[in-house]
Amino acid sequence: MEQTILHHMETVRGITLKSIHKTPEEIADIIPKGFNNNIRWNFGHIAFTQEKLVYGVLDEVMSLPKEYEEFFSAGTKPADWKGTPPSLVEISAVLTEQTARIKEFVPGRFSEKLSTPFTNRVGITFGTLSETWLFSFYHEGMHMEAIKRIYRAASN
């Protein structure tokens, strides 16, 4: 089963990487009317959240660049950014490297209990690594849909 889930992670992340590679930098920071965030924020948020849902929930060291939390954690938005966020190329490299790290980290740990159950912003509580990690695929898909909608709106 672990191999199936690892393969699913690669499939989901492959879709994300294909999308980021097709996204021109010049539209990455457009926030169309009706949206709070831009394409760059969504890609960075995918990386930050998966890191948190795999490593952070187990109190392991999160290996993302430090600025990812200030730019891309839940509740942040580009309007509040101080400094220059990472380029799409940099975010793509982080997403690629993250996938490789997770493939090494999670085997044999799927049933590992979290020292403290994790409750996300919508009130869902998770108790094991597999629960948080599997939820991250759903989360990534939601943000990919947001990216598609922003891309369409920004391209018009």
Side-chain angles (χ1 to χ4, degrees):
M1 182 56 104
E2 285 185 359
Q3 289 307 310
T4 301
I5 297 169
L6 287 165
H7 178 71
H8 182 68
M9 175 190 66
E10 290 177 325
T11 300
V12 171
R13 186 51 56 88
I15 293 166
T16 300
L17 290 169
K18 188 174 182 180
S19 180
I20 199 170
H21 293 143
K22 288 181 176 181
T23 303
E25 279 283 344
E26 53 271 10
I27 70 161
D29 295 313
I30 296 171
I31 302 174
K33 185 178 173 114
F35 293 89
N36 293 324
N37 292 306
N38 57 33
I39 290 170
R40 184 181 318 278
W41 182 88
N42 277 277
F43 281 125
H45 180 69
I46 288 168
F48 178 80
T49 301
Q50 188 161 59
E51 192 80 8
K52 183 173 183 170
L53 292 177
V54 173
Y55 297 96
V57 296
L58 290 175
D59 301 318
E60 297 278 345
V61 174
M62 293 181 21
S63 298
L64 294 180
K66 197 158 189 80
E67 68 269 11
Y68 273 59
E69 184 168 9
E70 65 190 58
F71 285 123
F72 305 123
S73 63
T76 62
K77 59 185 184 289
D80 297 335
W81 286 351
K82 291 173 179 62
T84 305
S87 69
L88 293 180
V89 170
E90 291 168 321
I91 296 170
S92 176
V94 163
L95 289 165
T96 299
E97 183 273 335
Q98 182 182 60
T99 304
R101 277 189 299 107
I102 290 171
K103 283 175 59 176
E104 299 272 325
F105 180 77
V106 298
R109 300 184 81 167
F110 280 35
S111 298
E112 192 168 331
K113 291 198 181 306
L114 309 181
S115 59
T116 304
F118 173 75
T119 302
N120 68 11
R121 290 176 60 113
V122 296
I124 302 169
T125 300
F126 304 100
T128 64
L129 174 61
S130 61
E131 291 172 351
T132 60
W133 187 46
L134 290 171
F135 180 79
S136 77
F137 305 148
Y138 169 77
H139 177 267
E140 190 159 336
M142 284 184 1
H143 283 279
M144 285 304 302
E145 181 59 29
I147 289 165
K148 286 181 194 175
R149 290 186 2 235
I150 293 169
Y151 189 97
R152 267 187 248 123
S155 297
N156 291 333

